[in-house]
Amino acid sequence: MNELTQVDLLNNDSALFNIELNNLKKFYTFYDENEIWNFIKIHPGIIVLLNEYEKYLKKYFSNAVFELRFDEDCSGTWFDLIVLTVWLDEETFYNGSMEYISKINRELRPLRRKLNLLGEVSLTKRILK
């Protein structure tokens, strides 16, 4: 199924939207769930994008923890976003993780353009202590 068709279905079927959003919680840790839910309701294509991220994250960071956090732009402009943090052990963090982050971003750029989600999700990494 085409990604834009998936977004249309999510926009028009609240039960499907809730199921798909709950499925994300099987892979991602939601730091501030209500804010994330509200933001994704405005941008349902994020569900499609995060499902694609999951495939890459499993491939490159099999032992990491993946957290979603809503980041509100205090200036009131359109720069609200979801930060997807990959929590890594120190060795992985310092040995090639940036190359994988760059590769994931590069490979998902066409989908982000297609879904018009160029700034709504940011992928970053941190050391898990």
Side-chain angles (χ1 to χ4, degrees):
M1 176 184 322
N2 165 317
E3 293 89 357
L4 295 177
T5 303
Q6 288 176 300
V7 174
D8 285 341
L9 288 171
L10 292 167
N11 270 324
N12 296 312
D13 187 339
S14 60
L16 177 64
F17 178 88
N18 289 330
I19 288 168
E20 290 297 321
L21 200 52
N22 279 318
N23 284 338
L24 291 176
K25 291 175 16 182
K26 295 175 183 174
F27 184 74
Y28 299 103
T29 299
F30 284 45
Y31 178 77
D32 37 16
E33 188 169 332
N34 289 335
E35 289 87 356
I36 291 170
W37 278 63
N38 291 332
F39 190 68
I40 292 177
K41 284 180 187 175
I42 297 167
H43 305 284
I46 290 174
I47 292 173
V48 176
L49 183 61
L50 289 173
N51 285 333
E52 287 302 309
Y53 266 113
E54 181 179 341
K55 296 172 189 173
Y56 288 93
L57 295 170
K58 283 179 177 177
K59 179 178 178 180
Y60 296 118
F61 303 109
S62 59
N63 295 322
V65 174
F66 308 101
E67 178 188 77
L68 300 177
R69 178 187 299 256
F70 177 72
D71 187 25
E72 182 176 15
D73 177 19
C74 296
S75 70
T77 61
W78 58 273
F79 292 109
D80 294 345
L81 60 101
I82 291 186
V83 178
L84 193 175
T85 303
V86 180
W87 290 94
L88 301 164
D89 61 77
E90 196 168 344
E91 182 178 342
T92 304
F93 182 89
Y94 288 113
N95 293 297
S97 62
M98 196 63 233
E99 289 79 12
Y100 292 136
I101 297 280
S102 296
K103 181 177 178 65
I104 293 168
N105 284 330
R106 191 171 45 257
E107 293 193 17
L108 288 178
R109 193 172 296 128
L111 177 60
R112 293 174 71 117
R113 282 191 186 112
K114 185 176 187 178
L115 297 173
N116 196 27
L117 295 172
L118 293 172
E120 285 75 9
V121 177
S122 174
L123 180 61
T124 188
K125 64 179 183 156
R126 300 278 184 265
I127 296 175
L128 184 61
K129 297 183 181 199

